[in-house]
Amino acid sequence: MRDDHACPYCDPAELRRDAFVLENDHCLLSIKPSETGALEGAGIIVPKAHRPTVFDLTPQEWAATQDLLLQARAHLEAVLAPDGYNAGWNVGVVGGQHVMHAHFHVMPRFRDEPMAGRGIRSHLKGAENRRRT
């Protein structure tokens, strides 16, 4: 990862600070209790090279992301035993991406959450989100 610009995900020390970390040659998984919000165990998989979006990943980074995703699941199953998961990418500001360095969200979900059952498509199904043209 490089540190020659202000991208917070290009700072490996910051991604590792106070975090559970798994990594391989191309990517790093960071699960920080201070960043998980309401979803305990939520984390991100970040390519070590700066890539603005998922569409910029190399084939090796795709494979490395999958490798860490499977390792993350094994870890979360052992530690938290979630009832389900949400996993995915946000791309661009309108797509919900707030840091312009590709990052794959891994979010364990639990049956007793107030919003259990609402998946990543829930906002797509609501009429209140229909475009007004």
Side-chain angles (χ1 to χ4, degrees), residues 29-61:
L29 165 80
S30 177
I31 299 175
K32 286 188 173 200
S34 64
E35 300 289 323
T36 61
L39 292 176
E40 179 184 8
I44 55 172
I45 299 172
V46 180
K48 291 181 177 181
H50 184 83
R51 305 283 185 237
T53 75
V54 60
F55 299 110
D56 302 305
L57 295 182
T58 66
Q60 295 81 11
E61 289 162 340

Side-chain angles (χ1 to χ4, degrees), residues 52-90:
T53 75
V54 60
F55 299 110
D56 302 305
L57 295 182
T58 66
Q60 295 81 11
E61 289 162 340
W62 272 104
T65 298
Q66 181 187 25
D67 176 58
L68 288 180
L69 177 61
L70 296 175
Q71 289 183 52
R73 181 182 67 179
H75 167 74
L76 292 166
E77 294 287 334
V79 173
L80 299 174
D83 301 304
Y85 292 90
N86 290 127
W89 308 90
N90 294 325

